[in-house]
Amino acid sequence: MGEFADPSAQVAWHALSLESAQAQVGATAEGLSDDEVAKRFQKFGPNELRDAEPINPWAILASQFSSLIVWILIAAGVVSGIFGEWVDALAITAIVVLNALIGFYQEFNAEKSMAALKRMTAPHARVRRSGVVRDVLARDIVPGDVVVLEAGDLVPADARLMKAASLKCIEAALTGESDAVGKHAEVLDREEVPLGDRKNLVFMGTSVATGSAEALVVATGMATEMGRIAGLIQKAGQEEGTPLQKRLQAFGKLLVWASLGVVGLVFVLGLVRGLEVFELFLTAVSLAVAAVPEGLPAVVTISLAVGVQRMARRRALMRRLPTVETLGSTSVICTDKTGTLTVGEMTVRTLFACDQEWEVTGEGYGPEGKITPRTSEGEPGATGLNDLITVLAGCNAAHLTQEEGRWKVIGDPTEGALLAAAAKAKVFPATLDKDLPRVKEFPFDSDRKMMTVVRKSLEGSARAMVKGAPDVLLARCTQILTSQGIRPLTDKDRENISTINEAWAARALRVLGAAIKNGVQESDVHSAKEVERDLVFVGLVGMYDPPRPEAKDAVARCRSAGIRVVMITGDHPRTALAVAKELGIAKENSKALAGLELDKLSDSDLSDQVDQIAVFARVTAEHKLRIVRAWKSQQAIVAMTGDGVNDAPAIKGADVGIAMGKAGTEVTKEASDMIVADDNFASIVAAVEEGRGIFDNIKKTLQYLLAGNAGELLLMTLCVVFGLPMALLPIHLLWINLVTDGLPALCLATDPIDSDVMKRGPRKPGASIADRGFLVLMGITGLLTAGVSFAVYLYGLKYETLEMARTHAFAALVFAELLRSFGCRSETKTLFQVGAFTNLRLAVVVGIAFLFQIWSHHNPILGGFLKTGMMTWSDCLMLIIVSIIPISILEVAKLIRQYR
């Protein structure tokens, strides 16, 4: 035996003759000896995919403390504990721990991509060794082994075909092409051939639909195409922060410096005014507590968690919590065609028989649908149509089965589509087998490009039913079936049939021809050559994988939302472009870029041109990952959808990876951030809408919390500037931040989504949450609430005791904050335009908080805990009236902006 080269070396196996391939691997048709197998196993290792490093749960837990805001809270808690403010310290610690536990629970799922890939590979396989066929574990297969394949087998390794009889393989998981691919053992005369067109190779993890074969193993384990994808998944899996995480991180830094600046300023002013250093330090700690929105981490986490529940109701299941918001930032959706934009099942759409076209309705492999003439000339029961339908059902090797209410095909998907069309005409294979028993079958092969089944009637005459490529079939026909009966086939007939074939092909339909032969002689039954001549042409069948009805509307919604939809598929360019034009993804003059053309572009060239290409066709897993990275280099937030193994690396490398729940492989699901339960592109768009709504809710919640904190800081700063005692005690600040602000903030985080959210463009990736408009509004709001509270405080100092002045200031600030929560629901619409009770939770929480605050001023125990005095009912009413001032001014400002 010769020495086999490194399996990782790039060898164009499809371009080698069988003899050359055998020489390259050092093997023969008899297979390897046991000694040679042992040597090669030692050299190349087991035929399995390497495990990715498992995620450490401690690392997940530690990542929950990576946020700067969390560390600010921890520092504030420690300082509060040092100075004896144990209530503050315990409350802050509880918030930090609760937030970490929620985040850990949501994210604790191990990376199972490699394990899922392993489950897709065959556990056992049959190989020929030393001339004997034996059953072995798939992991024990080595390069040079000869594998024996039959219908239903999973291919255990990448192999060069030695023999193939009517072999068709389902490679959808690897290439994205929905049709079963015909295979043969002949040499391909080009080295540069797309993966889906390498007809003399079979690949690990794909399955045999029909036929049988023997193949020479040329690559095992990580050297296979499946192994290359596994490697790409690992490379693509480098985690990056989501847009929200990056924004919050940047905002945390801003908050730190702003807090330190204000606290430092107040400290210096206090020194200038001659206040004691220790008292100033305690004041500074109080201000630091006031500056930090303690409820923010919990609010963000809960907002995302609620978003997950909303998305689940809209058929989108989230696997990573922060990705919920990232969807709202998405500017590009790279989507697979088959099964996502399309139904994912071949469907007969049109028939031609007796000079009449017939339209077929319904989708998938179910019997639901009708066959109707395109013009009034045809009759549903026409003889020509019946003969055509009979050929579709009678010349067929597939079976349809119903599982859990869904029809599935066992065998070739194309033949499944033909059976479904026949079922719509109430013609079933079981009935045919009874009335016209099967005598002989000549399976489809790549040389004849036809399939024939000979059936015998109860009277004893034999009829051949033939289907195949229209041009090849037409050449074998001498007669044609018309509404007047059978007559000779003329040149005009041939021209007419060829014209229809070309027109259907231009519409990206897959076209098959059908023919019959009556009175087949018993002596000819065993010869395909004799049976498949002098045929009677019956008709044409046009089929394709139809776009989902709701996909076109979903693409239009993306366009209005400023989101670019790009089709990336392993299918043929003409088919992909036709579907893209029908859905509005591509324009009439658009072109599809094929994988071979993509190979000729450098990464920088692809990055420069990627925004000009709407359709990428005949692409591999590596191509898809390159396309995603090219878009990301353009500062786009990219969502990648798919269902096959070949989509997994790009799904892993995208900002948001989206897998299909029904048709998606386990590999793809484990690599994803989100799973679409109904495999529907429209559900993805609905999830983007939810993502945008979630960001809006987080932003309005942040505005509410920070404007409240700004009011507290301004109030405390004014007291220091004017040499007054502190208007609020630390317990007051913590109560406001956690209860008065915290509970309404949670309700704002679950606010209903604005109906206009999909009518604006996506957010820019680098845009800050706290932009100029955000900071201006925060400052004005803080100034208004601080102004009202300070005025009440001054009034109390003049006419009441210090305790009552603080009580008035505390109550006024609480009432103003609670009322302001209603105005925070929209930056542009007034409270009455949004609807006061469209967020019932908020209305209930604010009402309860109002009652609780009023009760605290009439209950000595609660008043003692909050260090407040007792107030009369009239005082409470006057404070509520004064507290309406800030929200009234802000609402009037909205009306003025609308008028302008």
Side-chain angles (χ1 to χ4, degrees):
M1 294 278 180
E3 189 68 16
F4 178 50
D6 182 356
S8 63
Q10 295 297 312
V11 178
W13 296 105
H14 56 273
L16 295 181
S17 67
L18 182 56
E19 293 75 14
S20 299
Q22 287 175 334
Q24 183 83 10
V25 299
T28 68
E30 293 299 304
L32 304 173
S33 67
D34 291 342
D35 290 341
E36 185 65 24
V37 168
K39 288 179 185 177
R40 297 191 182 202
F41 189 86
Q42 187 70 27
K43 179 177 181 180
F44 300 121
N47 176 37
E48 56 188 14
L49 305 177
R50 285 197 296 269
D51 284 322
E53 291 184 14
I55 280 201
N56 187 343
W58 295 108
I60 297 176
L61 185 61
S63 69
Q64 307 306 314
F65 297 92
S66 59
S67 168
L68 192 57
I69 292 178
V70 170
W71 282 105
I72 295 172
L73 285 177
I74 291 172
V78 169
V79 172
S80 298
I82 291 173
F83 288 99
E85 298 292 342
W86 294 109
V87 175
D88 297 8
L90 289 172
I92 292 172
T93 302
I95 290 168
V96 171
V97 171
L98 181 63
N99 181 69
L101 289 176
I102 293 173
F104 176 82
Y105 175 77
Q106 291 287 345
E107 292 185 21
F108 182 58
N109 48 56
E111 293 288 338
K112 299 175 184 175
S113 299
M114 301 307 298
L117 268 171
K118 285 176 129 182
R119 288 196 294 272
M120 283 195 65
T121 58
H124 287 81
R126 284 176 302 137
V127 300
R128 177 178 285 112
R129 289 178 177 170
S130 301
V132 179
V133 176
R134 62 182 76 171
D135 189 73
V136 300
L137 289 174
R139 73 184 300 275
D140 295 336
I141 288 177
V142 296
D145 263 327
V146 176
V147 294
V148 180
L149 300 171
E150 290 181 354
D153 287 348
L154 282 176
V155 180
D158 288 4
R160 167 71 162 83
L161 287 170
M162 301 167 66
K163 300 176 185 176
S166 306
L167 184 68
K168 285 189 176 183
C169 292
I170 297 175
E171 299 180 343
L174 194 63
T175 65
E177 187 171 345
S178 54
D179 289 343
V181 180
K183 298 287 185 176
H184 58 74
E186 284 74 26
V187 179
L188 302 183
D189 57 2
R190 290 178 296 126
E191 287 204 6
E192 292 187 353
V193 178
L195 186 65
D197 292 334
R198 297 175 192 172
K199 301 295 179 68
N200 55 5
L201 297 179
V202 289
F203 303 101
M204 174 192 267
T206 63
S207 62
V208 178
T210 61
S212 59
E214 291 186 9
L216 180 69
V217 174
V218 295
T220 59
M222 294 301 288
T224 62
E225 290 296 328
M226 191 75 78
R228 288 180 65 250
I229 291 175
L232 287 173
I233 292 174
Q234 292 176 359
K235 291 177 185 176
Q238 304 300 321
E239 296 290 340
E240 298 179 20
T242 68
L244 179 64
Q245 289 170 326
K246 293 174 183 176
R247 288 186 177 102
L248 288 177
Q249 200 74 358
F251 179 75
K253 293 177 182 177
L254 176 67
L255 193 61
V256 168
W257 292 111
S259 301
L260 288 175
V262 171
V263 170
L265 177 64
V266 170
F267 196 85
V268 171
L269 286 173
L271 287 176
V272 170
R273 296 190 62 83
L275 298 178
E276 292 184 9
V277 174
F278 183 71
E279 184 182 346
L280 275 174
F281 193 77
L282 288 177
T283 302
V285 171
S286 298
L287 287 175
V289 172
V292 177
E294 287 87 349
L296 178 60
V299 164
V300 170
T301 302
I302 290 171
S303 180
L304 294 175
V306 169
V308 167
Q309 294 173 355
R310 282 182 179 174
M311 287 180 173
R313 287 195 290 269
R314 300 183 76 171
R315 300 300 207 174
L317 311 176
M318 303 305 300
R319 297 184 68 245
R320 289 186 63 243
L321 205 55
T323 310
V324 176
E325 183 276 333
T326 311
L327 269 171
S329 303
T330 300
S331 54
V332 176
I333 299 178
C334 294
T335 176
D336 185 34
K337 176 184 71 69
T338 306
T340 307
L341 293 169
T342 64
V343 176
E345 297 172 342
M346 292 298 289
T347 305
V348 173
R349 270 290 172 260
T350 185
L351 303 170
F352 171 78
C354 295
D355 285 328
Q356 172 68 38
E357 285 195 37
W358 308 74
E359 183 177 354
V360 185
T361 61
E363 293 175 357
Y365 301 123
E368 298 82 12
K370 295 181 180 179
I371 301 176
T372 55
R374 290 192 184 275
T375 66
S376 59
E377 298 171 9
E379 293 294 333
T383 302
L385 178 64
N386 288 341
D387 277 282
L388 177 57
I389 293 294
T390 301
V391 174
L392 301 188
C395 183
N396 206 303
H399 301 279
L400 294 179
T401 180
Q402 194 172 24
E403 296 178 10
E404 298 178 356
R406 186 182 179 194
W407 287 92
K408 295 182 179 180
V409 62
I410 299 173
D412 190 328
T414 298
E415 295 201 324
L418 299 179
L419 287 180
K424 292 167 188 175
K426 310 301 181 187
V427 177
F428 303 99
T431 306
L432 281 177
D433 289 339
K434 182 179 178 182
D435 297 341
L436 297 169
R438 190 180 296 233
V439 176
K440 181 69 176 178
E441 177 181 330
F442 300 103
F444 177 92
D445 67 42
S446 56
D447 292 329
R448 290 167 34 250
K449 294 187 178 179
M450 286 188 294
M451 174 186 178
T452 299
V453 173
V454 181
R455 292 178 177 271
K456 197 170 186 178
S457 69
L458 298 178
E459 292 79 25
S461 61
R463 168 185 279 195
M465 300 178 184
V466 189
K467 71 171 187 283
D471 52 342
V472 176
L473 190 69
L474 205 54
R476 305 286 186 95
C477 293
T478 57
Q479 296 176 295
I480 185 170
L481 179 65
T482 69
S483 55
Q484 284 77 41
I486 298 173
R487 64 168 173 79
L489 186 68
T490 65
D491 290 340
K492 186 177 180 181
D493 293 329
R494 293 180 189 276
E495 185 180 340
N496 182 39
I497 294 166
S498 297
T499 301
I500 294 171
N501 178 33
E502 291 169 7
W504 287 5
R507 289 162 49 194
L509 293 176
R510 182 178 181 191
V511 187
L512 288 177
I516 59 173
K517 184 176 182 178
N518 293 317
V520 177
Q521 299 299 314
E522 193 171 336
S523 59
D524 296 335
V525 165
H526 301 290
S527 170
K529 185 177 180 181
E530 291 299 322
V531 173
E532 294 171 347
R533 68 185 181 89
D534 298 328
L535 302 175
V536 179
F537 183 83
V538 175
L540 297 173
V541 183
M543 68 193 86
Y544 78 141
D545 181 9
R548 289 178 177 270
E550 60 278 10
K552 189 170 185 177
D553 178 61
V555 170
R557 290 189 69 203
C558 284
R559 197 161 46 243
S560 68
I563 299 170
R564 177 78 179 274
V565 180
V566 179
M567 181 189 288
I568 304 178
T569 178
D571 216 336
H572 293 278
R574 185 169 64 178
T575 304
L577 197 56
V579 173
K581 288 178 180 177
E582 186 174 347
L583 292 174
I585 294 173
K587 299 176 182 176
E588 281 303 318
N589 58 350
S590 297
K591 293 184 178 179
L593 187 72
L596 290 178
E597 298 172 279
L598 187 58
D599 284 331
K600 297 172 184 176
L601 296 177
S602 66
D603 287 343
S604 60
D605 289 338
L606 178 59
S607 180
D608 292 339
Q609 298 178 32
V610 71
D611 60 350
Q612 302 166 30
I613 304 166
V615 179
F616 294 89
R618 224 62 182 142
V619 292
T620 63
E622 193 168 8
H623 291 145
K624 294 183 180 187
L625 183 57
R626 283 188 65 199
I627 294 163
V628 167
R629 286 174 171 169
W631 272 111
K632 290 177 76 172
S633 71
Q634 296 294 315
Q635 305 305 308
I637 301 298
V638 184
M640 173 71 197
T641 78
D643 55 6
V645 177
N646 62 324
D647 298 313
I651 282 175
K652 191 77 172 178
D655 295 294
V656 183
I658 305 170
M660 301 298 108
K662 289 182 180 178
T665 61
E666 287 301 313
V667 185
T668 314
K669 291 175 186 176
E670 296 300 339
S672 69
D673 302 302
M674 179 180 110
I675 297 172
V676 180
D678 59 357
D679 292 12
N680 198 330
F681 184 77
S683 297
I684 299 170
V685 179
V688 171
E689 182 180 14
E690 289 287 350
R692 289 190 174 189
I694 288 165
F695 180 81
D696 284 356
N697 286 348
I698 290 174
K699 187 173 182 180
K700 70 178 71 167
T701 303
L702 195 62
Q703 173 66 236
Y704 176 67
L705 290 173
L706 292 179
N709 288 10
E712 296 164 32
L713 278 173
L714 282 171
L715 176 60
M716 303 286 276
T717 303
L718 287 172
C719 292
V720 173
V721 169
F722 289 102
L724 301 173
M726 287 296 155
L728 300 174
L729 300 173
I731 188 63
H732 296 157
L733 294 171
L734 200 62
W735 178 265
I736 292 170
N737 284 5
L738 293 182
V739 181
T740 307
D741 286 355
L743 294 178
L746 292 177
C747 296
L748 287 173
T750 61
D751 210 27
I753 296 173
D754 188 347
S755 58
D756 296 333
V757 74
M758 289 297 280
K759 295 179 182 177
R760 57 179 189 245
R763 298 184 304 279
K764 294 179 181 179
S768 170
I769 292 180
D771 54 18
R772 184 173 177 272
F774 182 96
L775 294 174
V776 169
L777 180 60
M778 183 184 81
I780 292 172
T781 305
L783 188 62
L784 288 171
T785 53
V788 167
S789 188
F790 189 64
V792 169
Y793 182 57
L794 291 178
Y795 180 87
L797 286 176
K798 185 172 183 180
Y799 297 104
E800 302 279 355
T801 63
L802 175 60
E803 182 187 35
M804 287 308 300
R806 281 175 172 162
T807 300
H808 288 166
F810 174 48
L813 195 61
V814 167
F815 292 148
E817 285 295 292
L818 290 173
L819 290 170
R820 193 173 59 80
S821 66
F822 291 110
C824 279
R825 294 185 59 197
S826 175
E827 292 182 5
T828 56
K829 298 177 182 177
T830 65
L831 169 61
F832 297 104
Q833 289 169 335
V834 173
F837 296 102
T838 50
N839 188 336
L840 196 57
R841 288 192 193 93
L842 179 62
V844 170
V845 164
V846 169
I848 292 172
F850 254 96
L851 293 175
F852 206 74
Q853 186 68 33
I854 292 170
W855 183 45
S856 73
H857 300 306
H858 294 80
N859 183 286
I861 297 175
L862 189 57
F865 175 74
L866 293 175
K867 299 177 184 177
T868 58
M870 300 296 102
M871 285 196 303
T872 63
W873 290 102
S874 59
D875 285 347
C876 288
L877 180 61
M878 288 303 299
L879 287 172
I880 291 172
I881 293 171
V882 171
S883 300
I884 294 174
I885 294 173
I887 188 175
S888 300
I889 294 173
L890 292 171
E891 293 297 288
V892 169
K894 289 179 187 177
L895 289 173
I896 294 172
R897 284 201 301 273
Q898 289 177 12
Y899 176 76
R900 287 179 178 174

